[in-house]
């Protein structure tokens, strides 16, 4: 109820990011390590992708564990007690179990017992899909706040004998806390999401779902490992991320000259370079960490956002463009005024 004399809030409320966090497993796997197991070279991986090393989770370290660590760091920065969190959305394609959702395990692990928790599956675009859902949920006043997380244990779904894919992916998690922006501070200005299900076959994990289950008596004909038509995906990635960027910037009422920092999905340096060139943007103002972590799918933009924030690359008032692309095919952008 509104106090006498005070003004009733106008919905939708603007929503801002109050804290970010990330977590990377300790174990580093370098390109040279991979040279010992598949027919590849550091030179090929570095020149074709920009990746030098990636992190690999322990066998007993699941997606939910990494998600929870990232979440705790984001909550600490936001100065919000886990018990006060209303909504948890985990974006992942590598859940601990098919059901329940990884978000349910996170809820238990961090002690956010009052929250509603569920997952979204939108591959590398998942963190930005989660952000858009949470922005509307909090902006509408249905939830006081939201914890959004991108987390992946891709090492558990990679065919370590397939050089086309195993050199690309890594494990990790990133998180952000969303709250209403009531004091005129920063806010998420716009978002732009897209999906093209006609291209679903280009990048998928064909086995392990209801189409090819691994139940007793059923012989899976397809494995539960990542399969990708890399060259085709590459072309779609460049076009979709360029368009998502320009559409997101226009929806925010801005031009590319207004953007201070771009945080793109971290799949391939050549994809990032192609987008930056098409947007006519300065490469210096693009945040890149794929050399250290490889492609961590839904976690990639979330980890990069946290690192950029903690390294002081984002200052109050800055306009930041987040943009991603992944299996589905899916793509997404968000423009944030910090
Ligand atoms: O995060 C979701 C979205 N994912 C992406 O955006 C990924 C998009 N795709 C890519 O990043 C690139 O297509 C890849 C990095 C996956 C591949 O790079 P490419 O330049 O498109 O290589 P390619 O697949 O056309 O393969 C070129 C050659 C092939 O040999 P031939 O047929 O020319 O003799 C491959 O067999 O490179 C070979 N190759 C490798 N050689 C050494 C493929 N993987 C490797 C490897 N080491 N690891």
């Amino acid at each position: 109820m509104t106090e006498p004399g005070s003004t009733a809030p106008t919905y939708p409320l603007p929503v801002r990011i109050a804290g970010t966090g990330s977590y990377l497993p300790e174990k580093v796997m370098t390109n040279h390590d991979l040279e010992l197991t598949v027919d590849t070279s550091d030179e090929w991986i570095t020149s074709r992708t920009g990746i030098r090393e990636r992190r690999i989770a322990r066998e007993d370290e699941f997606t939910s564990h990494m998600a929870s660590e990232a979440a705790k760091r984001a909550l600490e920065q936001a100065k919000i007690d886990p018990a006060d969190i209303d909504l948890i959305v985990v974006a992942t394609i590598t859940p601990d179990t098919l059901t329940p959702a990884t978000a349910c395990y996170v809820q238990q692990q961090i002690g956010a017992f009052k929250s509603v928790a569920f997952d979204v599956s939108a591959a590398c675009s998942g963190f930005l899909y989660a952000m858009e859902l949470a922005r509307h949920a909090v902006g509408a006043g249905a939830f006081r706040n939201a914890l959004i997380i991108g987390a992946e244990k891709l090492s558990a779904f990679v065919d370590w004998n397939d050089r086309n894919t195993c050199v690309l992916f890594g494990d990790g998690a990133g998180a952000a806390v969303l709250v209403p922006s009531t004091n005129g501070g920063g806010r998420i200005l716009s978002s732009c999401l897209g999906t093209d299900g006609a291209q679903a076959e280009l990048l998928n994990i064909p086995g392990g779902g209801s189409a090819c289950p691994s139940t007793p008596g059923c012989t899976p004909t397809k494995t539960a490992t990542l399969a990708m038509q890399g060259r085709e995906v590459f072309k779609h990635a460049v076009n979709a991320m360029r368009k998502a960027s320009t559409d997101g910037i226009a929806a925010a009422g801005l031009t590319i000259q207004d953007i201070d920092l771009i945080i793109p999905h971290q799949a391939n340096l050549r994809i990032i370079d192609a987008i930056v060139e098409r947007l006519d943007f300065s490469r210096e103002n693009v945040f890149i960490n794929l050399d250290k972590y490889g492609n961590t799918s839904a976690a990639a933009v979330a980890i990069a956002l946290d690192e950029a924030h903690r390294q002081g690359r984002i200052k109050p008032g800055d306009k930041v463009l987040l943009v991603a692309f992944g299996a589905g095919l899916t793509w997404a952008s968000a423009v944030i005024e910090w």
Side-chain angles (χ1 to χ4, degrees), residues 40 44 48-49 124 163-164 230-231 265 268 270-271 295:
T40 191
W44 190 95
R48 304 309 292 167
T49 71
C124 311
R163 71 174 184 175
N164 291 298
R231 221 174 290 181
H265 177 47
N268 188 322
R270 290 187 294 135
I271 294 178
N295 182 349

Side-chain angles (χ1 to χ4, degrees), residues 93-156:
I93 54 164
T94 54
D96 288 16
T97 52
L98 279 181
T99 193
T102 298
C104 302
Y105 300 118
V106 171
Q107 188 220 44
Q108 288 297 302
Q109 288 166 22
I110 67 172
F113 301 114
K114 282 188 279 185
S115 60
V116 169
F118 62 92
D119 290 357
V120 297
S121 177
C124 311
S125 311
F127 182 70
L128 295 183
Y129 271 51
M131 185 181 289
E132 184 64 348
L133 281 178
R135 172 164 81 110
H136 288 291
V138 173
F143 298 88
R144 288 172 306 158
N145 53 41
L147 172 63
I148 56 168
I149 307 169
E152 303 285 10
K153 185 174 179 175
L154 289 158
S155 62

Side-chain angles (χ1 to χ4, degrees), residues 38-41 44-45 48-49 123-124 162-165 167-169 203 228-235 237 241 265-268 270-271 295 297 325-327:
V38 282
D39 181 16
T40 191
S41 64
W44 190 95
I45 304 170
R48 304 309 292 167
T49 71
C124 311
D162 176 15
R163 71 174 184 175
N164 291 298
T165 51
V167 303
L168 304 173
F169 299 101
L203 174 49
M228 176 166 66
Q229 296 176 39
R231 221 174 290 181
E232 273 306 300
V233 172
F234 189 109
K235 285 185 231 158
M241 283 209 276
H265 177 47
Q266 309 282 318
N268 188 322
R270 290 187 294 135
I271 294 178
N295 182 349
S297 191
F325 172 85

Side-chain angles (χ1 to χ4, degrees), residues 162 165 201-206 225-229:
D162 176 15
T165 51
E201 303 289 318
L202 290 183
L203 174 49
N204 63 5
I205 297 178
T225 51
L226 274 157
M228 176 166 66
Q229 296 176 39

